Amino acid sequence: MATRIKKVLQDKNVATCITVQGWIRTRRDTGSFSFLEVNDGSCLANLQVLAGEKLANYSEEINKLSAGCSVVVTGTLQESPAKGQDVELQADSVQVLGWADPETYPLQKKRHSLEFLRSISHLRPRTNALGAVTRVRSRLSFAVQQFFHTHDFTQIHTPVITTSDCEGAGEMFQVRATGETTDKPFFGLQAGLTVSGQLQAEVYALALGQVYTFGPTFRAENSNTSRHLAEFWMIEPEMAFCDLSCNIEIATDLLKYVLQDVLDNCQEDLKLFDAFIEKGLVEKLKNVVTTDFVHISYTEAVAQLSKVSETFEYAVEWGIDLQSEHERYLTEKLYKCPVIVTDYPSSIKPFYMRVSDDGKTVAAMDILVPGIGEIVGGSQREERLDVLTQRMTDAGIDLKEYDWYLDLRRYGTVPHAGFGLGFERLVQFATGMSNIREVIPFPRTPGSAPC
Ligand code: 4AD
Ligand code: MG
């Protein structure tokens, strides 16, 4: 059985015989030895392998190994006399599984730009940076699940294909069966890919109390920015018997929990990001975990932004939707920490948000973080049948199609709330990656869907 390199480097069981398998990162020759740097993706570090000229295939194969070749190495682990690593593997055999022609293999030793790596999304996970992003993403996903399970939430799987446009923003991709005609849609109604699992999560929250869904979400918004994808993953908890402040508390706890988890479990990868991607990243994450988030109302945010209005492309006044530049000013310049903005004007928010007593605002909350802007969007939901019906009618929504949603208010309605955390934006925040295309394996953006 082969041992994963991460375990080899953790345990450092010198004098034991082990087998590892992986890909060559570099080879350098000195005298009668080749030093092979082998990586198997289990961790950032490579294992140094010493392959001597006495090995049977030394001149025919080992001496010709180059970046990208796959190998199986068996040998004895020993203390390394040189700086740079504690242990190294003295090879008894090096079997070559696959060659990688150095003339054509795109990943050579030099540092490649992230833009170039995007053009080879099938090979980029083999680099240090993208391998590290992939491990941190996986750990964050695990930590999210762990948070909800330790807080007594039930996971539900909401549909990818749906006939309801939750956000009402007209950004749905349509779904049609081959040969389907407009008068006879496959699903009876015009269907699309989900923009949010929230409405279905509400159904289950009003039966099981605390639920969450974590799945792919699709938006046909034509915004080619560093924070938008056409396909992204969203974490959406929904809680019965919960108001806006309870919602804020859960969102804050979730963010702190998962970031603490990567601080504890992804130290090697975070160190790489701190050195090469975002200086001060680890300090930033530690601060977010330990300090209180600022909480202001939308009205206060507009007042603060109005004072510096001239620095913005879009003017600020009460009633506008905050643009990314405004959000980033609040979190990066004014408060220099995560900011929770609540109580937005009802006119700029979807129909399901609970109307406040002032009649002008809704019980909405966004969480803004430095470098990203909005990472969480949520609200208390409108639980009063009459108010909800009025809001939907005003929004031009066909009440018949949402009869099931209204039933939730007809039968045993309760105050409830939830939010959506953009998973890629979370991975961006944790890794310091400035472009969202780096934190999802195969980014889908307008004009691009590789692999
Ligand atoms: O604020 P949004 O649109 O909220 C909802 O969809 C609610 N139904 C969620 C809920 O209450 N259950 O989206 C939630 C989060 C945003 O804050 C952002 O982090 C992320 O999803 N997001 C995107 N991430 C990447 N690409 C996009 N195009 C995104 N649109 C939203
Ligand atoms: Mg939002």
Side-chain angles (χ1 to χ4, degrees):
M1 260 294 265
T3 313
R4 298 275 278 164
I5 287 174
K6 179 181 177 181
K7 186 145 177 53
V8 174
L9 297 175
Q10 261 168 9
D11 297 351
K12 297 181 190 143
N13 280 332
V14 290
T16 53
C17 180
I18 57 167
T19 297
V20 296
Q21 41 200 13
W23 293 268
I24 301 288
R25 282 294 174 84
T26 60
R27 192 199 85 231
R28 109 192 120 77
D29 306 317
T30 45
S32 53
F33 276 103
S34 280
F35 289 96
L36 311 173
E37 291 291 328
V38 179
N39 189 285
D40 68 359
S42 61
C43 62
L44 184 68
N46 304 322
L47 177 64
Q48 177 164 289
V49 172
L50 265 84
E53 64 183 356
K54 292 208 178 82
L55 293 176
N57 59 345
Y58 186 78
S59 53
E60 274 306 298
E61 292 193 322
I62 295 173
N63 217 6
K64 295 183 179 135
L65 285 169
S66 57
C69 295
S70 47
V71 291
V72 182
V73 184
T74 300
T76 307
L77 198 69
Q78 57 186 30
E79 266 176 45
S80 176
K83 269 207 201 127
Q85 66 278 318
D86 295 337
V87 289
E88 59 193 17
L89 187 61
Q90 172 81 51
D92 295 327
S93 87
V94 177
Q95 184 195 353
V96 183
L97 295 181
W99 293 95
D101 182 355
E103 296 296 317
T104 57
Y105 186 57
L107 296 175
Q108 293 306 319
K109 202 182 166 192
K110 68 177 178 122
R111 253 177 100 185
H112 298 288
S113 73
L114 294 169
E115 289 77 14
F116 167 72
L117 293 176
R118 251 177 252 152
S119 72
I120 47 166
S121 53
H122 59 298
L123 295 173
R124 69 175 183 166
R126 299 181 184 196
T127 61
N128 281 344
L130 273 290
V133 166
T134 310
R135 282 185 295 270
V136 170
R137 184 182 165 108
S138 169
R139 184 73 211 185
L140 279 169
S141 169
F142 175 71
V144 163
Q145 305 278 2
Q146 204 167 40
F147 173 86
F148 286 118
H149 283 271
T150 53
H151 288 75
D152 201 21
F153 280 66
T154 304
Q155 184 177 15
I156 57 161
H157 297 112
T158 48
V160 168
I161 298 176
T162 176
T163 53
S164 43
D165 179 359
C166 173
E167 294 305 291
E171 289 166 346
M172 276 178 107
F173 287 101
Q174 297 186 355
V175 173
R176 277 200 212 96
T178 312
E180 175 181 316
T181 53
T182 11
D183 55 327
K184 241 182 140 216
F186 185 91
F187 293 106
L189 287 172
Q190 172 69 63
L193 297 178
T194 183
V195 295
S196 161
Q198 177 200 318
L199 303 188
Q200 291 91 351
E202 282 186 55
V203 170
Y204 273 76
L206 294 179
L208 285 93
Q210 305 196 123
V211 300
Y212 73 102
T213 177
F214 183 1
T217 313
F218 308 85
R219 292 196 187 173
E221 49 191 335
N222 217 346
S223 40
N224 238 324
T225 79
S226 59
R227 283 173 289 279
H228 288 90
L229 291 164
E231 176 180 294
F232 62 100
W233 287 64
M234 204 181 351
I235 297 138
E236 295 184 273
E238 191 69 34
M239 294 77 66
F241 313 104
C242 177
D243 62 6
L244 189 65
S245 52
C246 147
N247 204 25
I248 290 171
E249 199 180 311
I250 292 169
T252 309
D253 287 353
L254 170 65
L255 281 174
K256 291 189 176 198
Y257 181 97
V258 298
L259 294 174
Q260 182 63 57
D261 186 281
V262 288
L263 280 168
D264 293 341
N265 294 291
C266 301
Q267 285 167 9
E268 187 189 31
D269 291 326
L270 292 188
K271 236 160 96 185
L272 175 88
F273 300 132
D274 203 318
F276 297 109
I277 304 292
E278 180 185 341
K279 296 254 173 304
L281 172 82
V282 171
E283 213 38 48
K284 173 190 88 176
L285 296 177
K286 283 185 180 161
N287 281 337
V288 168
V289 168
T290 49
T291 54
D292 289 340
F293 296 1
V294 166
H295 180 173
I296 53 166
S297 70
Y298 167 89
T299 304
E300 286 164 48
V302 168
Q304 290 291 348
L305 293 166
S306 299
K307 292 186 198 156
V308 284
S309 212
E310 68 282 1
T311 54
F312 302 123
E313 192 184 329
Y314 295 91
V316 185
E317 59 177 278
W318 203 95
I320 61 133
D321 206 356
L322 296 184
Q323 299 295 315
S324 171
E325 56 173 344
H326 307 133
E327 295 172 342
R328 294 187 60 173
Y329 179 85
L330 292 170
T331 179
E332 287 166 22
K333 300 231 165 70
L334 193 59
Y335 297 111
K336 298 185 172 60
C337 71
V339 179
I340 304 163
V341 183
T342 58
D343 306 293
Y344 286 75
S346 58
S347 54
I348 56 168
K349 289 291 183 188
F351 68 91
Y352 55 72
M353 294 192 179
R354 190 179 196 281
V355 180
S356 303
D357 292 345
D358 62 14
K360 287 192 315 206
T361 61
V362 285
M365 63 118 177
D366 278 4
I367 301 184
L368 319 175
V369 293
I372 308 280
E374 179 190 336
I375 195 166
V376 166
S379 72
Q380 185 173 340
R381 318 308 188 187
E382 184 54 75
E383 86 283 12
R384 298 161 295 185
L385 181 64
D386 53 341
V387 184
L388 181 61
T389 312
Q390 189 58 51
R391 281 270 281 163
M392 291 172 84
T393 308
D394 294 347
I397 293 168
D398 183 352
L399 294 181
K400 281 203 297 295
E401 285 179 19
Y402 287 82
D403 205 40
W404 59 273
Y405 189 68
L406 295 169
D407 263 359
L408 304 175
R409 279 71 182 170
R410 289 190 187 106
Y411 309 120
T413 192
V414 296
H416 61 289
F419 61 87
L421 165 61
F423 188 53
E424 283 72 23
R425 292 191 188 176
L426 174 67
V427 183
Q428 269 190 285
F429 188 67
T431 58
M433 282 292 172
S434 59
N435 197 310
I436 199 164
R437 290 165 181 79
E438 264 66 85
V439 300
I440 186 163
F442 302 102
R444 271 78 179 103
T445 52
S448 173
C451 293

